[in-house]
């Protein structure tokens, strides 16, 4: 165990304590922030917001990108865009950050949790196939027979930046006619068969929280190829205000979810050297992989697998023995090296313990055996 911590220290010699994922600012961040202040464009209208949208659409190859205050807000809107309503069910994985289920809850729908697969840490296609016997296609959608609720969307998540089996999941959604909303909050820079995560479904979302690969401080984006949905996303995120030279007219209940120019400025600066950051993160992941192969071959360092390119947002290690995980986390705290467990699966939390769900075998196994390792870029 000590050798692992020594190895981590060797990667971050100037850091104490060593964080899990700390942001680095070495480009035009200060210049762009000053520009916002000098022009007084600090709020939700400004050139950096527009530029952030153009840059993200270009990078991900999505037709449209709509900037939001954070990833949770993006997800909340994305679900509404595909028609999720009160009392619907939304299929998602229990193994995710709480925001995934919370956004479903905000719409008045309920999550239906499915298992993940140990290999990709993402939604298990088998769990969807098992669920088929409980589904029925009707004129107004697909219904879940035991609860008599409509299955309104499927929300897979690319855990720690590792692409899930998105092609198969997208195909399943198409066959059933259930909209796919990708939670790509963690996976800017991650691709499956050359196609960016977050662009496989009707709508995808990303987060630019301070802990992500690059950050806006707080920020998010909605990605879609559908012009009407993009227009509606912008409308809903800007209080549903109708354009008018001076009147304030709103045609439905909207949200104050637009990304401020200040945050967009930070992100635009970071986007300029995203490729450098991703390259360094890939190098770090290969160094971790080599280290574990040599010194601890019985631990599984999680790698991207076939057809996938991961951003390696957070590197993950799986121990054979769950007690070892606890010891490892405690020792990390003593040494000031931030290693951390995965999120407690949502079906184990008070708010969601009664949500309908399938088998959670792999979700619970992974939760009991996985830790995340420090993964910040080493470039400044
Ligand atoms: C999987 C997942 N979904 C949603 C979010 C929500 O993003 P935000 O924190 O920007 O609201 C995050 C991250 O924070 C996340 O990791």
């Amino acid at each position: 165990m000590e050798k692992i911590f020594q190895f981590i220290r060797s990667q971050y010699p100037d850091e104490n304590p060593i964080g899990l994922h700390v942001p680095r600012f070495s480009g035009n961040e200060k210049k762009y922030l000053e520009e916002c202040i000098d022009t007084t464009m600090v709020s939700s209208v400004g050139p950096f917001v527009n530029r952030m949208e153009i840059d993200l659409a270009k990078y991900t190859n999505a037709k449209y990108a709509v900037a939001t205050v954070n990833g949770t807000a993006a997800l909340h809107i994305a679900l509404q865009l595909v028609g999720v309503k009160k009392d619907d069910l939304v299929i998602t994985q229990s193994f995710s950050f709480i925001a995934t289920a919370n956004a479903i809850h905000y719409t008045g729908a309920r999550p239906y949790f499915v298992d993940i697969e140990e290999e990709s840490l993402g939604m298990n296609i088998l769990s969807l196939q098992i669920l088929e016997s409980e589904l029925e296609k009707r004129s107004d959608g697909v219904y879940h027979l035991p609860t008599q609720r409509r299955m309104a969307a499927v929300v897979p998540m690319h855990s720690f930046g590792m692409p899930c089996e998105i092609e198969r999941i997208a195909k399943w959604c198409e066959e059933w006619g259930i909209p796919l909303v990708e939670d790509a909050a963690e996976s800017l820079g991650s691709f499956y068969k050359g196609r960016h995560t977050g662009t496989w479904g009707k709508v995808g979302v990303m987060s630019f929280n301070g802990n992500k690969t690059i950050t806006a401080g707080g920020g998010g984006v909605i990605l879609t190829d559908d012009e009407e949905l993009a227009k509606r996303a912008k409308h809903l995120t800007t209080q549903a205000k109708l354009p008018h030279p001076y009147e304030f007219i709103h045609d439905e209940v909207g949200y104050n979810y637009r990304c401020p120019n200040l945050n967009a400025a930070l992100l635009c600066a970071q986007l300029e050297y995203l490729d450098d950051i991703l390259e360094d993160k890939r190098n770090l992941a290969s160094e971790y992989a080599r280290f574990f192969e040599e010194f601890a071959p019985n631990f599984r360092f999680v790698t991207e697998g076939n057809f996938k390119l991961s951003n390696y947002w957070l590197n993950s290690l799986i121990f054979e023995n769950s007690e070892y995980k606890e010891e490892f986390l405690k020792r990390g705290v003593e040494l000031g090296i931030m290693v951390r467990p995965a999120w407690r699966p949502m079906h184990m939390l008070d708010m969601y313990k009664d949500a309908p769900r399938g088998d959670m075998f792999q979700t619970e196994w992974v939760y009991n055996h996985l830790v995340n390792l420090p993964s910040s870029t080493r470039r400044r």
Side-chain angles (χ1 to χ4, degrees):
M1 185 180 298
E2 295 308 311
K3 266 195 184 144
I4 302 179
F5 286 112
Q6 271 167 21
F7 175 79
I8 295 171
R9 271 228 180 285
S10 73
Q11 300 303 310
Y12 300 101
D14 304 330
E15 240 178 85
N16 198 8
I18 296 176
L20 188 72
H21 202 287
V22 285
R24 305 254 192 256
F25 303 114
S26 58
N28 285 317
E29 287 86 350
K30 278 191 184 156
K31 185 175 159 216
Y32 292 172
L33 289 173
E34 271 176 18
E35 237 174 272
C36 294
I37 293 166
D38 292 345
T39 58
T40 74
M41 295 276 211
V42 293
S43 206
S44 51
V45 176
F48 287 114
V49 186
N50 301 339
R51 181 171 148 189
M52 166 178 167
E53 293 179 335
I54 292 166
D55 289 355
L56 284 169
K58 197 163 154 202
Y59 183 80
T60 58
N61 210 16
K63 279 202 183 129
Y64 306 96
V66 179
T68 59
V69 276
N70 55 49
T72 312
L75 207 46
H76 183 201
I77 296 297
L79 293 165
Q80 293 182 58
L81 292 178
V82 301
V84 174
K85 293 193 181 63
K86 191 170 175 300
D87 296 333
D88 285 341
L89 288 179
V90 174
I91 301 173
T92 193
Q93 54 202 67
S94 176
F95 188 84
S96 182
F97 179 56
I98 190 74
T100 314
N102 283 350
I104 295 168
H105 182 86
Y106 300 159
T107 65
R110 296 189 81 193
Y112 181 100
F113 293 124
V114 291
D115 209 0
I116 54 160
E117 43 165 33
E118 191 207 319
E119 201 56 32
S120 70
L121 308 176
M123 187 175 277
N124 194 326
I125 185 79
L126 264 179
S127 306
L128 296 177
Q129 286 161 350
I130 289 168
L131 186 60
E132 285 176 6
S133 62
E134 296 184 355
L135 300 181
E136 184 177 83
K137 279 188 188 173
R138 296 186 193 158
S139 58
D140 60 338
V142 174
Y143 278 76
H144 179 240
L145 296 172
T147 56
Q148 285 300 314
R149 288 174 189 246
R150 198 172 66 104
M151 282 294 189
V154 178
V155 185
M157 196 277 282
H158 304 282
S159 307
F160 314 125
M162 199 63 57
C164 67
E165 287 301 324
I166 192 64
E167 188 176 46
R168 296 177 72 197
I169 294 167
K171 202 162 160 228
W172 189 89
C173 289
E174 210 177 298
E175 276 163 19
W176 279 92
I178 306 177
L180 169 62
V181 173
E182 260 176 286
D183 185 344
E186 305 177 353
S187 60
L188 175 69
S190 300
F191 296 79
Y192 186 97
K193 289 193 177 170
R195 184 161 162 187
H196 202 288
T197 52
T199 66
W200 285 80
K202 230 175 167 178
V203 190
V205 305
M206 284 180 187
S207 161
F208 305 113
N209 187 266
N211 63 357
K212 295 296 185 296
T213 300
I214 57 169
T215 184
V221 74
I222 299 168
L223 303 172
T224 182
D225 282 349
D226 184 319
E227 189 180 359
E228 284 312 305
L229 290 189
K231 277 189 192 153
R232 184 150 170 72
K234 186 156 177 203
H235 189 60
L236 283 175
T237 53
T238 49
Q239 298 280 31
K241 185 181 180 301
L242 297 177
H244 192 283
Y246 50 86
E247 286 278 6
F248 288 93
I249 309 166
H250 305 260
D251 65 350
E252 61 182 309
V253 176
Y255 303 86
N256 183 12
Y257 279 177
R258 188 89 174 133
C259 183
N261 201 43
L262 264 177
N263 298 85
L266 202 62
L267 192 82
C268 287
Q270 295 246 287
L271 273 167
E272 288 173 350
Y273 57 103
L274 172 63
D275 286 345
D276 277 358
I277 291 174
L278 290 172
E279 186 187 307
D280 182 59
K281 288 174 69 62
R282 284 194 80 73
N283 289 340
L284 173 66
S286 334
E287 283 164 48
Y288 267 131
R290 216 173 307 132
F291 170 79
F292 287 114
E293 221 172 272
E294 268 175 43
F295 289 101
N298 50 337
F299 300 157
R300 181 165 95 83
F301 179 73
V302 181
T303 51
E304 58 206 354
N306 290 343
F307 311 121
K308 298 172 184 177
L309 189 79
S310 175
N311 65 3
Y312 286 102
W313 170 52
L314 289 187
N315 291 294
S316 309
L317 185 63
I318 295 181
F319 298 123
E320 269 174 12
N321 182 338
S322 58
E323 280 164 26
Y324 201 90
K325 173 190 135 178
E326 293 299 322
E327 275 176 45
F328 188 76
L329 292 171
K330 277 188 201 140
R331 186 68 182 137
V333 172
E334 280 165 15
L335 292 172
I337 297 181
M338 196 174 171
V339 287
R340 60 151 227 193
W343 324 272
R344 181 160 298 184
M346 290 184 283
H347 72 277
M348 294 165 77
L349 301 178
D350 271 356
M351 310 83 82
Y352 297 118
K353 66 179 188 318
D354 298 326
R357 63 180 173 89
D359 179 26
M360 289 291 140
F361 180 75
Q362 300 205 46
T363 298
E364 290 181 13
W365 191 90
V366 169
Y367 169 63
N368 287 328
H369 292 80
L370 179 144
V371 291
N372 289 131
L373 304 171
S375 302
S376 319
T377 173
R378 296 157 299 177
R379 288 194 185 152
R380 286 174 193 276

